[in-house]
Amino acid sequence: MAKYVYDFTEGNRNLKDLLGGKGANLAEMTNLGLPVPPGFTITTDACRHYLAEGDQPDGLEQEVAGHLDALEAAMGRKLGQADDPLLVSVRSGAKFSMPGMMETVLNIGLNDESVHGLAKQAGGNDRFAWDSYRRLIQMFGKTVLGIDGDLFEEALDRLKGRRLDTDLSAGELQRLVETFKAIVRDQTGTDFPADPREQMRLAILAVFDSWNAPRAILYRRQERIPADLGTAVNVVAMVFGNVGNDSGTGVAFTRDPGSGHQGIYGDYLQNAQGEDVVAGIRNTIPLEELENIDRRSYDELLQIMETLENHYKDLCDIEFTIERGKLWMLQTRVGKRTAAAAFRIATQLVDQGLITLDEAVTRVTGDQLAQLMFPRFDAAAEKKKIAKGMNASPGAAVGKAVFSSARAVELAERGEDVILVRRETNPDDLAGMIAAKGILTSRGGKTSHAAVVARGMGKTCVCGAEELEVATGERRFTAPGGVVVSEGEVISIDGTSGEVYLGEVPVVASEVVEYFEGAEPDGELVKAVDRIMRHADEVRRLGIRANADTPEDAARARRFGARGIGLCRTEHMFLGERRQLVEDLVLATTDEERRQALDALEPLQKSDFAAIFRAMDGNPVTIRLIDPPLHEFLPDIVELSVRVATEEATDKDRKLLAAVKRLHEQNPMLGLRGVRLGLVIPGLFDMQVRAIAEAAKEVRGARPEIMIPLVATVQELEAVREESARILAEVGVEALIGTMIEVPRAALTAGQIAEAAEFFSFGTNDLTQMAWGFSRDDVEAAFFSQYLDLGIFGVSPFESLDRDGVGRLVAIAVREGRAARPDLHIGICGEHGGDPDSVHFCHEVGMDYVSCSPFRIPVARLEAGRAALAETDSDTR
Amino acid sequence: MAKYVYDFTEGNRNLKDLLGGKGANLAEMTNLGLPVPPGFTITTDACRHYLAEGDQPDGLEQEVAGHLDALEAAMGRKLGQADDPLLVSVRSGAKFSMPGMMETVLNIGLNDESVHGLAKQAGGNDRFAWDSYRRLIQMFGKTVLGIDGDLFEEALDRLKGRRLDTDLSAGELQRLVETFKAIVRDQTGTDFPADPREQMRLAILAVFDSWNAPRAILYRRQERIPADLGTAVNVVAMVFGNVGNDSGTGVAFTRDPGSGHQGIYGDYLQNAQGEDVVAGIRNTIPLEELENIDRRSYDELLQIMETLENHYKDLCDIEFTIERGKLWMLQTRVGKRTAAAAFRIATQLVDQGLITLDEAVTRVTGDQLAQLMFPRFDAAAEKKKIAKGMNASPGAAVGKAVFSSARAVELAERGEDVILVRRETNPDDLAGMIAAKGILTSRGGKTSHAAVVARGMGKTCVCGAEELEVATGERRFTAPGGVVVSEGEVISIDGTSGEVYLGEVPVVASEVVEYFEGAEPDGELVKAVDRIMRHADEVRRLGIRANADTPEDAARARRFGARGIGLCRTEHMFLGERRQLVEDLVLATTDEERRQALDALEPLQKSDFAAIFRAMDGNPVTIRLIDPPLHEFLPDIVELSVRVATEEATDKDRKLLAAVKRLHEQNPMLGLRGVRLGLVIPGLFDMQVRAIAEAAKEVRGARPEIMIPLVATVQELEAVREESARILAEVGVEALIGTMIEVPRAALTAGQIAEAAEFFSFGTNDLTQMAWGFSRDDVEAAFFSQYLDLGIFGVSPFESLDRDGVGRLVAIAVREGRAARPDLHIGICGEHGGDPDSVHFCHEVGMDYVSCSPFRIPVARLEAGRAALAETDSDTR
């Protein structure tokens, strides 16, 4: 028969799939001999069975009863025993932490009889006992019986009047229990169950059911936690920190989660339960002071913390309770930490001999590294903090507060830095968001429109700063304490911490960036980063290239660690003064005129390429032939139409308007661009290939790779390839010729395309656009925030590569491309190349390299290393 | 050892893969005992080996030599023997006919000695012998030696002056041979090979090489013939129809390819070779007259024709030659025929007991049926034909000739019918092409811009009418005989025949359409169609539905044979006067205003749906919820901007402009539409679902199916499905809820989506757009004609479903959808549902039905039947 219940003595921390995180760690501590209240865990298997079949698996009730019997025997008390009751808590605990999403019921076992026994246990503390009893009914009523929680809250409020909870007497609480029982009877038609075992049974099922509560489903969608894991249920003997001053509860960290330094970090609250700490009803005291209150428990706690850190080989966070001088461990887990602490702790643990450098690399993340690379406000500067919101998009931004999109655009055009302040943003604010240095809103969370769009733009954003009252009409906001900020006043916002400051706060560059730029490693953090990056570089299998269009970007990319350019876009070379030449090309009506326009562009392109080849000094440079539709280089159709209609238009304007109208497309993303341009406009690609070849001939060691964009069928590639190969041979230069895989059909026919391509580079931006049918320009601002709120997806597919859809296309193309041409060189050059999860995907699917923007290169290096290590130890992520 | 050469006595007609079409049929006739000149076939295997390895397979030369020895023995002459030479032709012959694409060399075996022997054989006809010799050198020089053919032509022209070929004397031809030999020496540095066996060896290799000539590659791409088949080579003893009046050559059909009637159909030319018939140097005589010239041969030919038709059980076309009273069969194959003849012949053969009804269905095609459904010009009417061009897009169109796109639009707006006449069209002409009833060009072939775009629009087009001189500037064209047509004069064009008429020709409806509309079958053709359609309906497995948005279309679809609506678009119900309500919806700034707009729409939608349910009388109706972006219902942004900038604009104009700007999208195809609208605009889909449910409740037997468009992820579908199911339950109506599969990601995650969908309907228009990255509105007119010319594809992927790319997505979705939900109902509602090849694909992939526009339903029924029959006999297509 299947085993559905594990005593804490039977489990261990590797059984998180089965026992959930909380249960597995309670078992681990139990087996380390630490003082954990006895208890047992009902497995996720049981939950899954219940959810699928609508009923508990056979034998589960008997198994639970047996474990409860053993628990009673160990504690020497029976559940709900009238004179000396055992009480238990029933707590959810899934594999992945889902804070606040699921249910817990405390004080199971109380009823009209055992409440008196509890008072006796607590040294005659009647008030404590009745308060515990009313909490049970309230929690049980809401969670297990599904009664609207406001009914209990309102009854409590009526009783309290203007007093605090703690001012209620035992008698008042006893009457409240009666009121609560009446509410239960009234709402459900039956009495609150007095039978302790029935209480427990119902609570367990309620925890199971809470897995499928709407908020839990939504949370899982957003966090991309699989829907079918189920939760475990922990039944734990109650211990009480709130039975007097020789009791209390606290949290502790084995080292400082902010700095990573070793020491005593934590908070303690005398005569309190765990939830009181969270609720902040009284001020906690620093953990060190426990030494003076209860020396024995304090010493024991320190001993346990050392044991845990040595055992887990990492920073642990701990919840504990002291009940009348006896220390109990209620929870432990590997603790969260700041980005800087993560790097410091990882290297410290190496130095302590607790972990290897391999392990150290897996202990930090690319997201943490990225956080360390943002500029930040000078910690030493004087700052006037006026509010705190959510850290929606990191960075530090300073500018004049403005309250409308139009005003943001207006001031930005004058060269002024602005922060766009809105109650909340919507798609109409897009222009203002683009113009602003940062965005501040008083409403909305991390999936609000402002947050999603700002992250998409890489722009600093603080959202949901609810203390602010934003008066858009009056162009000002009011912060707590009556601080009024009117349009034009300077504010500073910290997107990493969520803090808002009055006035200009000086910004300092990241020391980590300075290190990547070439500064000697100095300071503990930078040395830790240096050590971990060096090791990541040693273990990674993926090569790292950069997306860079200019010699300056190319040079920075090399400093940051790129060993090649994976995407050099040539269209940027047609902007500025050269726009004129593109206009000439478009307006050309004869072959001769077109030839002239192309001839004028060729030497300019050649010198562009030569400069990049020099900057990359012998590293490969993948140059993408021109991709966007030609009308992108021409004036906007609406503006030009209005100008021609309203002003004295020149002959050229009219010609240009005719051309703009002719080239106008309903859906330029899916129009005449990429290889299609190359096939339809005679000489365009030839000019570019010749410029590349001539430049490569001039720069010693240049390694050009010619990349054809938007190929959908091998015939397109063959036609261009043939002509390009001819030109290369003519100039006497060698270069790989390959293609972007950015159109779904190219991925689906990769076996055919590989016959004509020496390399593939996945353009996952376009591939995502076409696979999902999302025009990024349009949809991200229009409805992604709503999609995230609805849980349609947990993260934008433009941020992190969508494995099921886009990833499947990539995997097909890698597999079938390599089958057709085993030495096919394969990389990615979409923005996903710098996203941690996506880098792991690229590693797993067997690409040769990732290419990303220069600033993301360190992230890609680190994650490539982590991906290689994850392959040998799939449990580390 | 592999066998690379087959004597004609060894092959048969089933060996087309190996022997090519010509070789297989020559072998078949040989084995029927018909008088075929002896010869042998070198297989496509040998060709493939040669093309892959660059060398003949081992043993091929010896095998050829052995077969030549046998041929010489049978003929009693040796190849090129001086006094009595055997001559042979070396002819290409691939599996699929590629007319004019590949090479043939006649008269192999002639040299300075054997030319005299030939003259002797021909009864002392020196002129004939020297003319044959110069033809050999000319053909061999050009084909085998790669000499520019113009050099020979120019030498011939210099000699001829203003005379005809036939005026040249034997002496002159002998001197011409010397001149030709000098050209060969001059161009290649070596002499024309006198050795007959060397001539043959080189000719065989030249035929192999011609498989990869650029024109052949292009042809194969366009006709979608696989590139790796290779060609067979036939070596055949020469027979001569040009050695006197007791000789001649002719073509014959076993029945009339125009009407299908049995009888004697063909042409004969006395004292001539095959190529002379094609070149049209003299007028042929009707085949019947051969009876008077050579009764014996005539009788023998009739006997052979009967044998062939009974043997092939189909219309055969035949090439024959009579050499001095002896009949020789040079080729036969199943002959091409008109659409009407195809239906007549198929049923006639059934009546003759030669084929079954199953076979009859496979003998006709959907394309032929479609041709019979176009209106045509009244055959009895008096017509003044002024030119003939290519039949680029079928139909009959009448209208005033106009010479510019702008003028076409102008007159069409006044309600006049126009024919757009251009030398050739380009993307600038698009508006005019849309406005015109038909398009006529004087340049360009069947893949020209005009042809491609017209076919895409289903608009009548005649292109490449080269006899016309189009003077666009002067707004007129000139036809042969000095006929001048000026702007405004009426012309009539026949897109089925390519003919152009002056004045208005009366158009008659198709009798086949009248039959489908319900007329009793009458007349031979309609009775044949009726019989074949009934049988196709019996054998087909695919169900047939219609794309119909109105009760009228729905009723027609039922008459045409649809048993359900597969796509009822609801957006068409928001046009006209209701546009106002959509504007209200878009301009709504409060929930209340939005609610009001939706409430106003609901009863209108309900009555729309009720009317369609009534028209479909118990057949299922799949209703797609609103799909296009809302700005499609609003004024154009350019027009509105100009109006607001230049005129006294109303307040509403300004509000509307703001809304249009807000909703404006860079790529609306990939923007806020379909299910995204439903999720983002509260109440929109609910209103539609409620209208459907209320209508279904009202109409007895209504079978609504609710289809959600543009789903990319199962989460979208789940969200809408839940709400829709609630509304259906509320109203108390049952309906399937399913989804379009039109976004690539939906196909790639079909297993997940099927969990929430009761049916899939493939929207292959959008799926093609996204899989290829083609916005149909933009790219079809902009560059598809160039793509077809370049051989990038052989047919637009919007016309015929692209099996490799889009088809792969469909196949994945069908397989994985059914795996997740075995009873998933699956169909297609893109335009491909009415395309013959695509219907076969849908059958093969296992769909339940195809849905197409009402007019294509008969085509879909027929092809569905053919697909079912092709499954059991894969050789019939």
Side-chain angles (χ1 to χ4, degrees), chain B residues 263-408:
Chain B
I264 314 295
Y265 300 91
D267 300 291
Y268 183 69
L269 193 58
Q270 239 177 322
N271 193 14
Q273 278 287 67
E275 61 256 55
D276 301 331
V277 180
V278 179
I281 55 167
R282 272 174 288 153
N283 282 340
T284 58
I285 56 170
L287 187 57
E288 299 94 291
E289 294 184 20
L290 178 59
E291 184 171 12
N292 306 323
I293 298 169
D294 181 347
R295 176 65 187 259
R296 206 174 49 120
S297 295
Y298 180 74
D299 287 345
E300 187 181 356
L301 181 64
L302 259 50
Q303 184 63 45
I304 288 172
M305 283 163 68
E306 197 183 327
T307 303
L308 284 174
E309 196 174 271
N310 286 333
H311 183 70
Y312 279 86
K313 299 178 179 174
D314 206 347
L315 177 159
C316 292
D317 85 13
I318 290 163
E319 289 177 21
F320 65 92
T321 279
I322 300 173
E323 186 184 274
R324 288 185 275 181
K326 162 72 181 148
L327 176 67
W328 294 100
M329 302 303 296
L330 297 189
Q331 176 159 325
T332 192
R333 61 187 169 195
V334 169
K336 295 198 190 308
R337 65 208 70 184
T338 63
F343 280 86
R344 290 199 191 100
I345 292 173
T347 48
Q348 285 163 8
L349 293 172
V350 173
D351 290 338
Q352 288 176 246
L354 284 171
I355 63 175
T356 65
L357 254 175
D358 274 6
E359 283 172 295
V361 170
T362 68
R363 294 285 177 88
V364 294
T365 68
D367 282 337
Q368 288 166 335
L369 181 60
Q371 277 178 39
L372 297 178
M373 291 177 67
F374 282 102
R376 56 191 168 75
F377 289 126
D378 184 354
E382 203 172 300
K383 291 190 276 279
K384 184 167 177 200
K385 177 174 152 188
I386 54 174
K388 186 165 193 299
M390 280 187 249
N391 52 343
S393 181
V398 179
K400 291 182 176 175
V402 294
F403 295 84
S404 73
S405 180
R407 188 73 178 147

Side-chain angles (χ1 to χ4, degrees), chain A residues 227 339 506 538 736 821:
Chain A
E538 263 170 40
L736 297 184
R821 183 190 284 256

Side-chain angles (χ1 to χ4, degrees), chain B residues 561-839:
Chain B
R563 290 294 166 265
I565 290 182
L567 174 64
C568 172
R569 300 176 202 86
T570 54
E571 52 268 20
H572 294 181
M573 303 169 185
F574 291 105
L575 297 178
E577 291 168 9
R578 302 179 187 177
R579 214 180 256 273
Q580 176 62 45
L581 296 172
V582 182
E583 286 183 9
D584 291 348
L585 178 64
V586 169
L587 294 180
T589 54
T590 66
D591 288 352
E592 181 51 28
E593 284 172 9
R594 185 170 45 235
R595 187 70 261 158
Q596 277 173 8
L598 290 170
D599 284 350
L601 281 164
E602 190 178 313
L604 301 174
Q605 286 257 288
K606 180 186 164 186
S607 68
D608 294 333
F609 296 136
I612 289 175
F613 291 148
R614 276 186 208 102
M616 288 311 287
D617 193 22
N619 286 296
V621 178
T622 307
I623 296 168
R624 181 175 74 183
L625 302 188
I626 187 167
D627 181 52
L630 290 186
H631 53 70
E632 283 199 9
F633 303 97
L634 304 181
D636 176 72
I637 188 168
V638 175
E639 277 172 32
L640 193 59
S641 297
V642 171
R643 188 158 86 227
V644 169
T646 56
E647 295 171 23
E648 196 69 27
T650 63
D651 192 47
K652 166 127 192 207
D653 278 348
R654 266 184 293 269
K655 267 195 196 165
L656 215 44
L657 181 57
V660 169
K661 279 189 177 167
R662 175 162 53 82
L663 293 176
H664 180 70
E665 293 180 314
Q666 299 294 317
N667 296 284
M669 173 77 56
L670 308 177
L672 181 54
R673 46 177 286 235
V675 68
R676 302 162 191 175
L677 274 181
L679 290 170
V680 163
I681 299 185
L684 179 59
F685 273 14
D686 291 358
M687 177 276 286
Q688 292 201 294
V689 172
R690 193 172 295 277
I692 292 168
E694 297 284 0
K697 200 170 184 178
E698 195 171 286
V699 180
R700 216 164 68 92
R703 287 173 58 193
E705 303 181 346
I706 295 172
M707 179 154 76
I708 316 299
L710 215 73
V711 164
T713 168
V714 67
Q715 278 86 358
E716 291 171 318
L717 184 59
E718 275 169 354
V720 173
R721 182 189 166 74
E722 206 166 295
E723 188 63 11
S724 302
R726 193 184 55 71
I727 293 169
L728 289 171
E730 223 172 272
V731 181
V733 162
E734 292 202 346
L736 297 186
I737 300 177
T739 181
M740 299 277 285
I741 302 287
E742 56 185 335
V743 174
R745 191 181 187 280
L748 292 162
T749 60
Q752 295 168 26
I753 289 176
E755 303 276 356
E758 289 167 294
F759 64 87
F760 281 178
S761 179
F762 287 96
T764 48
N765 295 351
D766 270 22
L767 201 56
T768 300
Q769 296 200 87
M770 294 182 203
W772 282 84
F774 280 157
S775 163
R776 186 171 194 175
D777 289 339
D778 298 315
V779 300
E780 217 165 25
F783 62 82
F784 268 28
S785 61
Q786 290 179 65
Y787 260 41
L788 290 161
D789 277 346
L790 288 166
I792 302 293
F793 35 61
V795 59
S796 156
F798 292 111
E799 279 182 48
S800 191
L801 193 139
D802 149 44
R803 289 181 175 232
D804 288 352
V806 177
R808 185 169 181 185
L809 287 173
V810 171
I812 287 172
V814 169
R815 187 174 63 242
E816 299 181 7
R818 286 250 172 78
R821 184 191 283 256
D823 65 346
L824 188 71
H825 198 234
I826 301 182
I828 186 176
C829 64
E831 282 172 46
H832 296 108
D835 166 70
D837 269 357
S838 312
V839 171

Side-chain angles (χ1 to χ4, degrees), chain A residues 816-836:
Chain A
E816 299 181 7
R818 285 250 173 79
R821 183 190 284 256
D823 65 346
L824 188 72
H825 198 232
I826 302 183
I828 185 175
C829 64
E831 281 171 49
H832 296 108
D835 165 70

Side-chain angles (χ1 to χ4, degrees), chain A residues 109-155:
Chain A
L110 281 176
N111 54 27
D112 293 351
E113 282 82 44
S114 61
V115 66
H116 300 293
L118 180 63
K120 203 169 70 182
Q121 277 176 17
N125 190 338
D126 282 346
R127 195 200 161 281
F128 158 73
W130 286 106
D131 191 46
S132 298
Y133 191 17
R134 74 92 189 160
R135 283 179 197 253
L136 169 64
I137 303 172
Q138 185 169 1
M139 221 180 283
F140 193 96
K142 188 171 163 229
T143 300
V144 182
L145 304 175
I147 298 168
D148 180 357
D150 287 348
L151 296 172
F152 298 108
E153 289 294 342
E154 282 158 18

